[in-house]
Amino acid sequence: MRDSKAENMPKAFDSKSQEEKIYKLWEESGYFKPENVKKYLEESNEEIKRPFVMTLPPPNANGDLHMGHTCGYSFHDAMGRFNRMTGHPTLLIAGKDHAGIQTETVFTKKLKAEGVDKWELGRDEFSKRCYEFCLNAADNARNQEKRIGLSADWEREFFTLDPRLTAVVYETFFMMYKDGLIYRDKRIINQCPHCRTALADVDTYHKEMPGIFAYIVYPFVDDKDKKRAKERFGVEGITVATTRPETMLGDTAVAVNPKDDRYREFIGHKVLLPIADREIPIIGEDTVDIETGTGALKVTPAHSPVDFEIAKRHNLLIVNVINEEGKMSGDIPERFKGMETIECSKALVDELDKLGLFLKIERIKHEVAVCERCDTPIQPIISNQWYVNTKPLAEKALDALKNGDTTVIPEGQQKALTFFFENIQPWCISRQLWWGHRIPIWYSGSKELHDWMRDNPGKTTQDFEKEVGKEAHGSGKIFASVEKPEVDPDWNNEKSLLFEEETDVFDTWFSSGQWPFSTTTAINGFDEYYPTDVMVHGRDILFWWSARMMMLGLYRTGKAPFHTIFLHGIINAPDGSKMSKSRGNTVSPVELFDKYGVDSLRLWYYSDALPGANAPLREEKIKGNRNFVNKIWNASRFVMMNIDDSEMEGVKKKLEEGHFEGGRVKMTKEHIKKVINYLTKHQYNLGAEEIREFFWHEYCDKWIEEVKNEIKEEEVGTEKRLNLLTELVYLLKENLKAMHPFIPYITESVWQELVLMGLAEGILMIEQIV
């Protein structure tokens, strides 16, 4: 153990070595656990307030943390430390997210690099190896979470595939299925041909790519219409402009605006779909933009969300011509089957040109939705998937917002969340992946049989066998169960009864959307720790995560899962662009930890990552914060070194007596009130500015200098010296308490130096701010 004399205190603050030592001290103290905080408060005769609980966003269990993660955890930790220091037994629940498609993609690439093919490996072995991969990656992420200072209860950390959480997730599914809120339906989805799964909008991004506008003539069926069209348009049909000629094989109508004088008289008439030779109607649709293209819109309900809604309004046929792998299929001419979409587009244009139905092509640049994981353009296709009827759930969430049960910071994002709930659409919760919670459904006979019979109401299993050419080994009925059913009451056929297990897994947001109540249930602390207090994350996942937590939490418990949603700023590259590995503009938080120290980075987050805003990385500001951190160390060292060994007992005695008054003490108490107020109102930028300005310019620039001058001529050991030096130590300790939630490492390090000298006790993390 180091000598307690102040002159042996290191001259400079070595953040890296101190961070490791201090975090170990915190962890070994046991005060990350709310039970131990409660015990400390009891023994110290402090007021014990209600528990403060936060469930932290679990990062993907497949890699390192990024700047956004450490930003969020800095705010989480500041809130946790502040509440722990103001009488609340505090519980921060950390975790790791299995992260469905993201992890499956990352691990598949890893296997490929090792020469292993995912499909040859098989689902069970893939899942086993992926689980091991995630647990190993989670260790690295956890070390980085600890490095940022996160004071979470690590004994209560969860992986989202933990069997205890899975039990809760399945229980919710069964309840919602029984209540009719979960159902199977055929709708438009975002399909990634490469990943072979449905995607949520959040799993895609828009990318500018070269494209075409192809002008194609759809000839009228009636000779009179042909003649009239020839007179008006110069061709015997109606011309459409499309960026995707291949989808024309799935067209079931041409839509025009009833207000468009060019086409009004043709509404209700028919054109012949070229190549497919199928008659389709011209319909009147108010949403068609008269100015775009030719003003005539080809309607492909199976491959466009907009067209799908038009089809529902006009009761149009839905013809699927692109499969899950992005290849042409279905009821189309044989020569096109199996083609890639671009290949088919070129072949169609050639044939249309020979038929005299292709007018021209324009080269354009347009925004295309692509898979975030593999950069493959997504295909909107019609598909049978599992859905949640979110409307009744959203209505309860809206009530929670309107009643003030949950508040969003900043206010503008509360309006955005309200708008989202008011206009919510059904939620597709099935993903065609191997990695994740398998949907607990069994099909009597087969999934194909069930979907066919649902698409063909009134028909029987015999009709299925006749039309599809396959035997039906069941009724097509669905059974919601984890275990395979033994019987199907509706099956009395002599053929053997077979059950097919659902191969799809849940959308990751379905399980993570239950995070607050699934975790508190799993630790047997639901009654004590739910609802939680604050949910903190970036605004980019407000609709995908907090919205779902609100809907599912209210459905399962009747209570909103948290009273506040705090949306910290999104961390961007220095030039303001989004950080991206492909762009090469990412910055590892570990690099900044090592370069400037954790406290310096945390202080920058509080100052710049304002709620709902974008925060370009500014290293010069982080560097400036390091100067402040060093100022705290140097000022503290100066105060301690100015106490002579012979004066130490006198200072200790005066500190124990605790009678402090005067202007400096009064100003410090007012300062602490301000800091408490800022932290209570989640105004972290103002709090960070307050602690910096007060300590640097009041404590250091004024008070230390004033005391230096006042004791300059005093003999060692005089009452005046003892009083002034004791006051400086007292004020230092009070400032350390106020600064601790923001910059825990430097403040705890100084506190432990005071402990070593006998001028303080215990651990700063648990000291009460008053």
Side-chain angles (χ1 to χ4, degrees):
M1 187 174 180
R2 184 175 65 72
D3 192 301
S4 62
K5 292 183 178 180
E7 56 263 29
N8 292 318
M9 182 178 172
K11 292 182 179 180
F13 179 64
D14 180 4
S15 58
K16 194 169 184 179
S17 64
Q18 284 291 324
E19 285 162 8
E20 184 178 351
K21 182 176 73 173
I22 291 299
Y23 197 88
K24 183 179 180 182
L25 175 73
W26 290 332
E27 205 165 8
E28 291 178 350
S29 74
Y31 291 132
F32 291 173
K33 304 183 77 63
E35 300 89 342
N36 293 338
V37 175
K38 184 178 180 180
K39 183 179 179 183
Y40 169 85
L41 293 171
E42 287 175 346
E43 293 173 349
S44 303
N45 294 317
E46 298 280 359
E47 179 186 359
I48 302 173
K49 301 174 184 174
R50 63 174 182 78
F52 177 82
V53 185
M54 298 177 75
T55 48
L56 314 185
N60 296 349
N62 57 37
D64 294 336
L65 300 187
H66 54 61
M67 289 292 289
H69 289 130
T70 51
C71 177
Y73 292 137
S74 296
F75 283 101
H76 286 108
D77 191 57
M79 295 179 195
R81 289 180 185 274
F82 171 64
N83 279 278
R84 197 180 286 116
M85 296 175 79
T86 50
H88 299 271
T90 296
L91 173 61
L92 306 185
I93 301 177
K96 303 295 174 285
D97 193 345
H98 67 278
I101 187 171
Q102 291 90 344
T103 298
E104 184 154 329
T105 302
V106 168
F107 189 61
T108 299
K109 288 179 180 177
K110 183 177 185 294
L111 289 175
K112 187 176 181 180
E114 296 170 358
V116 179
D117 182 79
K118 164 187 171 180
W119 304 101
E120 291 179 5
L121 195 63
R123 181 168 188 151
D124 290 343
E125 184 62 21
F126 176 89
S127 297
K128 178 184 175 184
R129 293 194 191 184
C130 194
Y131 199 98
E132 294 170 355
F133 165 72
C134 283
L135 292 184
N136 289 333
D139 288 340
N140 189 48
R142 187 181 306 109
N143 289 334
Q144 292 173 19
E145 289 166 347
K146 291 182 177 182
R147 182 82 187 272
I148 197 67
L150 187 59
S151 52
D153 184 350
W154 297 109
E155 292 181 15
R156 285 166 167 151
E157 182 186 19
F158 284 99
F159 184 37
T160 49
L161 291 181
D162 186 296
R164 293 169 292 175
L165 301 189
T166 299
V168 178
V169 170
Y170 281 169
E171 188 177 56
T172 301
F173 174 82
F174 294 138
M175 289 173 64
M176 296 181 80
Y177 180 73
K178 184 179 179 182
D179 289 345
L181 291 170
I182 287 182
Y183 58 95
R184 192 158 174 79
D185 195 11
K186 182 179 278 189
R187 296 175 62 89
I188 287 281
I189 61 164
N190 295 323
Q191 176 73 17
C192 175
H194 182 267
C195 298
R196 301 186 192 179
T197 181
L199 300 177
D201 287 344
V202 75
D203 295 320
T204 70
Y205 73 97
H206 284 80
K207 180 179 182 181
E208 187 177 77
M209 299 180 71
I212 61 169
F213 238 145
Y215 289 78
I216 304 167
V217 177
Y218 287 21
F220 279 105
V221 172
D222 187 82
D223 288 339
K224 291 180 181 178
D225 289 337
K226 287 182 179 179
K227 184 179 178 182
R228 181 67 173 144
K230 183 71 174 176
E231 293 171 354
R232 298 196 65 177
F233 312 128
V235 292
E236 293 184 340
I238 192 165
T239 302
V240 301
T242 179
T243 59
R244 304 181 67 205
E246 72 277 8
T247 63
M248 67 178 290
L249 297 174
D251 287 354
T252 56
V254 173
V256 298
N257 195 309
K259 297 176 183 176
D260 193 333
D261 294 335
R262 294 171 294 177
Y263 306 123
R264 186 186 300 116
E265 65 181 284
F266 297 111
I267 293 174
H269 298 213
K270 290 187 176 180
V271 293
L272 185 68
L273 182 63
I275 310 294
D277 292 331
R278 187 171 69 244
E279 293 183 7
I280 60 175
I282 296 176
I283 60 173
E285 171 62 38
D286 293 332
T287 61
V288 175
D289 185 352
I290 295 173
E291 303 298 327
T292 300
T294 65
L297 176 72
K298 60 186 283 299
V299 181
T300 319
H303 302 293
S304 163
V306 172
D307 295 4
F308 181 74
E309 295 302 320
I310 292 174
K312 287 199 298 184
R313 288 194 290 272
H314 294 270
N315 198 28
L316 299 176
L317 286 173
I318 297 176
V319 180
N320 202 346
V321 297
I322 302 173
N323 65 19
E324 287 81 359
E325 296 179 21
K327 294 181 179 180
M328 304 304 297
S329 65
D331 186 15
I332 62 175
E334 284 294 326
R335 61 187 179 278
F336 300 114
K337 288 184 178 178
M339 282 187 175
E340 300 285 349
T341 53
I342 293 177
E343 180 188 5
C344 181
S345 176
K346 291 176 180 178
L348 281 168
V349 167
D350 286 342
E351 289 195 25
L352 289 165
D353 194 29
K354 290 173 184 175
L355 293 169
L357 299 176
F358 179 69
L359 298 185
K360 63 176 181 176
I361 193 166
E362 293 176 354
R363 302 291 174 182
I364 62 169
K365 292 220 171 191
H366 61 153
E367 295 285 315
V368 176
V370 298
C371 175
E372 185 185 38
R373 296 296 119 192
C374 66
D375 225 29
T376 302
I378 66 121
Q379 289 288 350
I381 65 171
I382 195 79
S383 176
N384 285 297
Q385 301 286 339
W386 287 96
Y387 288 88
V388 172
N389 177 13
T390 48
K391 189 173 181 181
L393 305 178
E395 288 172 353
K396 291 185 178 179
L398 270 172
D399 289 340
L401 289 175
K402 291 174 181 176
N403 297 337
D405 298 334
T406 299
T407 301
V408 184
I409 300 173
E411 186 180 348
Q413 292 300 310
Q414 176 146 339
K415 294 176 182 176
L417 185 57
T418 298
F419 182 83
F420 173 78
F421 284 135
E422 289 173 343
N423 296 274
I424 201 161
Q425 296 295 312
W427 170 20
C428 176
I429 59 168
S430 47
R431 298 290 182 267
Q432 292 68 55
L433 301 169
W434 286 355
W435 181 240
H437 298 93
R438 203 161 181 164
I439 297 177
I441 285 290
W442 296 83
Y443 299 91
S444 174
S446 67
K447 181 193 285 193
E448 181 183 16
L449 172 63
H450 168 77
D451 288 341
W452 186 89
M453 294 192 71
R454 192 169 46 77
D455 290 343
N456 296 273
K459 293 193 175 183
T460 66
T461 54
Q462 288 78 21
D463 296 322
F464 170 81
E465 292 180 332
K466 188 184 300 181
E467 296 182 28
V468 179
K470 295 181 180 179
E471 287 193 352
H473 289 277
S475 65
K477 185 179 177 182
I478 283 178
F479 291 82
S481 169
V482 174
E483 302 298 328
K484 180 180 177 180
E486 295 181 2
V487 296
D488 176 359
D490 294 342
W491 185 248
N492 298 310
N493 196 295
E494 70 279 1
K495 293 189 181 77
S496 60
L497 172 63
L498 299 176
F499 284 98
E500 181 181 331
E501 186 178 8
E502 176 60 84
T503 54
D504 292 355
V505 300
F506 285 124
D507 172 18
T508 302
W509 301 106
F510 185 74
S511 55
S512 61
Q514 303 179 51
W515 189 241
F517 68 85
S518 65
T519 52
T520 52
T521 298
I523 62 172
N524 298 316
F526 179 82
D527 291 337
E528 187 173 5
Y529 299 131
Y530 186 93
T532 64
D533 288 274
V534 187
M535 178 50 59
V536 178
H537 56 72
R539 71 179 185 280
D540 51 337
I541 57 172
L542 174 62
F543 308 134
W544 304 106
W545 196 34
S546 277
R548 282 154 171 73
M549 285 189 283
M550 287 186 69
M551 290 190 291
L552 293 174
L554 285 161
Y555 171 75
R556 281 299 308 268
T557 72
K559 297 177 182 178
F562 27 72
H563 60 69
T564 301
I565 301 171
F566 180 88
L567 304 176
H568 63 73
I570 303 296
I571 308 302
N572 287 336
D575 63 359
S577 63
K578 182 179 180 181
M579 285 192 185
S580 166
K581 288 182 180 179
S582 62
R583 292 177 183 168
N585 64 351
T586 59
V587 177
S588 165
V590 176
E591 292 176 23
L592 297 174
F593 294 164
D594 293 342
K595 195 172 182 180
Y596 301 111
V598 168
D599 289 323
S600 304
L601 179 60
R602 283 177 62 135
L603 204 55
W604 174 73
Y605 281 138
Y606 304 133
S607 299
D608 278 29
L610 302 179
N614 291 337
L617 182 64
R618 294 286 183 261
E619 279 201 48
E620 66 275 13
K621 287 191 175 183
I622 302 171
K623 184 178 180 180
N625 292 336
R626 183 181 62 181
N627 295 337
F628 174 56
V629 169
N630 289 334
K631 183 74 171 179
I632 295 171
W633 182 263
N634 293 334
S636 303
R637 184 173 183 270
F638 176 83
V639 170
M640 286 183 259
M641 286 187 66
N642 268 278
I643 303 173
D644 190 82
D645 289 349
S646 63
E647 296 175 311
M648 196 62 67
E649 289 304 316
V651 171
K652 290 178 187 177
K653 185 178 179 182
K654 288 183 178 295
L655 283 172
E656 289 170 5
E657 291 171 354
H659 301 304
F660 300 101
E661 54 188 25
R664 294 170 186 150
V665 173
K666 184 179 179 182
M667 284 182 67
T668 300
K669 288 181 177 179
E670 289 300 316
H671 160 65
I672 291 173
K673 284 181 183 177
K674 284 185 182 179
V675 175
I676 290 173
N677 184 54
Y678 289 140
L679 286 167
T680 302
K681 293 182 176 179
H682 301 293
Q683 295 173 323
Y684 298 94
N685 60 320
L686 299 180
E689 182 181 359
E690 175 69 20
I691 62 165
R692 180 189 178 101
E693 290 298 307
F694 189 85
F695 188 81
W696 197 313
H697 298 301
E698 292 295 335
Y699 187 83
C700 298
D701 291 351
K702 292 183 182 178
W703 298 348
I704 287 180
E705 293 303 315
E706 288 171 356
V707 170
K708 276 170 62 178
N709 289 328
E710 290 180 48
I711 65 173
K712 186 165 54 177
E713 305 298 330
E714 290 290 319
E715 292 286 334
V716 169
T718 65
E719 190 70 11
K720 183 177 180 180
R721 263 184 65 92
L722 288 178
N723 286 338
L724 288 169
L725 290 172
T726 303
E727 183 183 64
L728 273 185
V729 173
Y730 165 76
L731 295 174
L732 173 63
K733 291 169 69 174
E734 293 303 299
N735 272 272
L736 292 174
K737 291 179 188 178
M739 293 189 287
H740 183 74
F742 299 93
I743 41 178
Y745 284 115
I746 178 63
T747 51
E748 187 71 75
S749 296
V750 171
W751 189 269
Q752 292 309 311
E753 292 293 334
L754 291 168
V755 170
L756 196 58
M757 295 180 66
L759 301 175
E761 294 180 353
I763 295 177
L764 175 58
M765 181 182 72
I766 200 65
E767 286 290 316
Q768 297 300 287
I769 303 173
V770 292

